[in-house]
Amino acid sequence: MKRPTLNVVGTGIQAAGQVTIEARSAIESADRVFFLVTDPLTLEYLERCNSNLESLHTSYASGRPRMDSYLEMVGRIIGTMERGESVCVALYGHPGVFAFPAHEAIRQARARGWYARMCPAVSAEDCLFADLGVDPAWTGCQSFEATDFLLFNRRWDIRSALVLWQIGVIGDTSFQGGGYAYKAGLQLLVGRLAEHYGPEHRVIVYEAAHYPIYPHRADTVSVAELADTALTPESTLFVPPGASSVPDPAMLDLLGIADAAIHRVRVQLLGARTTDDLLAHVAPPVGD
Ligand SMILES: C[S@@+](CC[C@H](N)C(=O)[O-])C[C@H]1O[C@@H](n2cnc3c(N)ncnc32)[C@H](O)[C@@H]1O
């Protein structure tokens, strides 16, 4: 019997256009391709690359705990490999970003001594940096899943940018085909953000476009207004810094960044970005 192999790849966020060459090659050469994608064009693309396709979406059911669905997906992938097939798993976005089944399938395949690898891809956060025109180098960038952020009382630095994922499904651990009841969780998030940034601090609700002809969503609202902002399961929140960064003089000395001119430029470019600085740089969606 052939030794089973597993390639886990991402299809990016934008319909088919963000599939890397290595991902395409893994999709084309697999005996079977499991997929979880969010737009019909990417599905069509996968169909052109390989006719042995199997949707992982069928493991979801409305009201079913997401973790049950994830474990079933892993079972289906590993079960297919046990029959000696080479498997490719193609997930939208980056396959290793908020994608438990991808990591778990690789872990279980390697535990059996099989070859398994993940190919990096374009995530929603990558699109956010490009569409909003922000650079994580400016102030640093912290990234949390929104329910995790609240539940574990995460500590973060308000002088750095903050990205919160899954703000449209806060507190809901099951799959909901007909929409999520996120409002109560969103109120709690607004309370937490208001405590640290104040209710007037401006944040951006971001949704990357799936097709290049459509604009992305970049709605700037205050923290207080966020409570009444309509969200979708694809919404991601970008929170610009709420305070400026001031370099530590002792560290400037230790690092030898003593030259006043260089120091000024560095601080201007990297350290002093406040909400206004950042919002002034946010590119408007194409088509606005
Ligand atoms: C289960 S995670 C999947 C992330 C995906 N693997 C990636 O690499 O971006 C779902 C979350 O990703 C973010 N997301 C997915 N699609 C998005 C889009 N089109 N625009 C902005 N954020 C998106 C949202 O925060 C959403 O709740």
Side-chain angles (χ1 to χ4, degrees):
M1 193 172 76
K2 247 185 0 174
R3 197 157 168 262
T5 61
L6 173 61
N7 284 293
V8 179
V9 306
T11 57
I13 299 291
Q14 211 162 74
Q18 293 172 340
V19 179
T20 64
I21 293 168
E22 69 171 348
R24 181 181 180 134
S25 147
I27 294 165
E28 286 175 339
S29 59
D31 293 330
R32 180 165 305 271
V33 178
F34 288 98
F35 68 92
L36 209 49
V37 297
T38 53
D39 70 273
L41 268 190
T42 303
L43 177 55
E44 242 183 83
Y45 174 86
L46 293 177
E47 283 166 348
R48 281 203 306 274
C49 291
N50 194 314
S51 52
N52 288 322
L53 288 184
E54 203 172 313
S55 171
L56 288 174
H57 211 270
T58 52
S59 288
Y60 283 125
S62 227
R64 184 180 191 193
R66 274 202 289 268
M67 188 48 80
D68 284 4
S69 305
Y70 293 159
L71 291 173
E72 184 180 294
M73 292 175 195
V74 174
R76 289 169 62 188
I77 295 163
I78 296 296
T80 303
M81 294 181 75
E82 269 163 355
R83 296 197 295 274
E85 292 190 32
S86 67
V87 169
C88 177
V89 177
L91 305 178
Y92 79 96
H94 186 304
V97 175
F98 295 84
F100 171 86
H103 289 288
E104 182 57 16
I106 287 178
R107 190 190 67 77
Q108 290 196 21
R110 286 182 182 158
R112 287 165 172 76
W114 301 333
Y115 173 84
R117 71 157 180 169
M118 180 181 285
C119 301
V122 176
S123 73
E125 194 177 65
D126 297 315
C127 297
L128 181 151
F129 294 140
D131 286 336
L132 300 191
V134 296
D135 187 333
W138 289 338
T139 62
C141 185
Q142 306 147 102
S143 205
F144 296 96
E145 197 279 333
T147 303
D148 169 286
F149 182 73
L150 291 171
L151 196 59
F152 296 99
N153 201 7
R154 295 289 177 201
R155 301 274 175 251
W156 78 105
D157 185 343
I158 69 158
R159 298 168 306 168
S160 296
L162 173 68
V163 172
L164 293 173
W165 299 68
Q166 305 202 143
I167 54 165
V169 300
I170 295 178
D172 203 330
T173 55
S174 51
F175 176 82
Q176 302 297 344
Y180 289 83
Y182 57 86
K183 285 285 181 186
L186 187 60
Q187 286 284 359
L188 294 170
L189 179 65
V190 164
R192 176 66 52 84
L193 295 177
E195 240 175 74
H196 292 265
Y197 297 90
E200 298 308 319
H201 188 67
R202 279 163 297 157
V203 297
I204 299 171
V205 175
Y206 171 70
E207 285 171 22
H210 288 290
Y211 301 98
I213 51 164
Y214 292 124
H216 60 271
R217 176 181 180 188
D219 291 343
T220 301
V221 295
S222 69
V223 166
E225 288 164 344
L226 180 63
D228 296 316
T229 302
L231 303 177
T232 76
E234 295 200 335
S235 304
T236 297
L237 191 69
F238 179 74
V239 185
S244 315
S245 310
V246 177
D248 172 358
M251 193 51 75
L252 281 173
D253 273 354
L254 286 170
L255 291 171
I257 311 177
D259 181 274
I262 295 175
H263 163 57
R264 260 202 310 279
V265 172
R266 284 186 65 85
V267 170
Q268 215 176 334
L269 282 178
L270 304 176
R273 297 232 174 222
T274 62
T275 303
D276 284 337
D277 295 331
L278 276 175
L279 289 177
H281 281 79
V282 167
V286 179
D288 265 22

